Amino acid sequence: MFGDMMGMMNKIKETQRKVEETKERLKTVLLDEQSADGLLKVTITASREIKNIEIADELLQDKEQLEDYLVLTLNKAVARATEVNEAELAAVAKEGMPDIPGMNDMLNG
């Protein structure tokens, strides 16, 4: 019993380390998003940090249109980055879960 507990604790610590490594790696994963017509382009990391915004000259003529484009495109970029971030972290966390009898049954249903 005690040996099993130590094994589980070590596995949990290893998983925490892998989660932290994954978080650091996600800071370097770049995702590009753009408006439907390509006039606004955004580059964001999977950890949801905006790295670059490119705005076509024609959008600079209309402040309201530019603001709408920014809101829509940034929200799309953040949503996509969140999906990637959560999927990557969930995969690492699931991989590192200790094998506790009956746990999968509880989690799945």
Side-chain angles (χ1 to χ4, degrees), residues 30-42:
L30 298 178
L31 304 167
D32 293 317
E33 193 61 64
Q34 65 181 5
S35 59
D37 56 11
L39 295 179
L40 181 78
K41 296 177 182 176
V42 174

Side-chain angles (χ1 to χ4, degrees), residues 27-65:
K27 290 178 182 179
T28 67
V29 174
L30 298 178
L31 304 167
D32 293 317
E33 193 61 64
Q34 65 181 5
S35 59
D37 56 11
L39 295 179
L40 181 78
K41 296 177 182 176
V42 174
T43 301
I44 188 171
T45 67
S47 60
R48 298 175 292 261
E49 181 181 347
I50 304 293
K51 289 295 190 179
N52 191 46
I53 297 176
E54 292 180 35
I55 302 169
D57 289 341
E58 59 196 86
L59 282 179
L60 298 177
Q61 311 309 314
D62 184 341
K63 181 179 182 287
E64 280 187 32
Q65 183 183 18

Side-chain angles (χ1 to χ4, degrees), residues 7-23:
M8 283 194 312
M9 293 301 290
N10 286 338
K11 192 161 188 166
I12 289 170
K13 284 181 183 176
E14 177 68 13
T15 299
Q16 287 174 331
R17 185 184 63 74
K18 286 182 179 179
V19 165
E20 290 306 314
E21 287 174 359
T22 300
K23 285 180 181 179

Side-chain angles (χ1 to χ4, degrees), residues 8 11-12 15 90-100 103-104 107:
M8 283 194 312
K11 192 161 188 166
I12 289 170
T15 299
V92 171
K94 183 175 182 180
E95 173 188 309
M97 286 293 290
D99 188 19
I100 302 170
M103 183 61 87
N104 284 339
L107 294 174

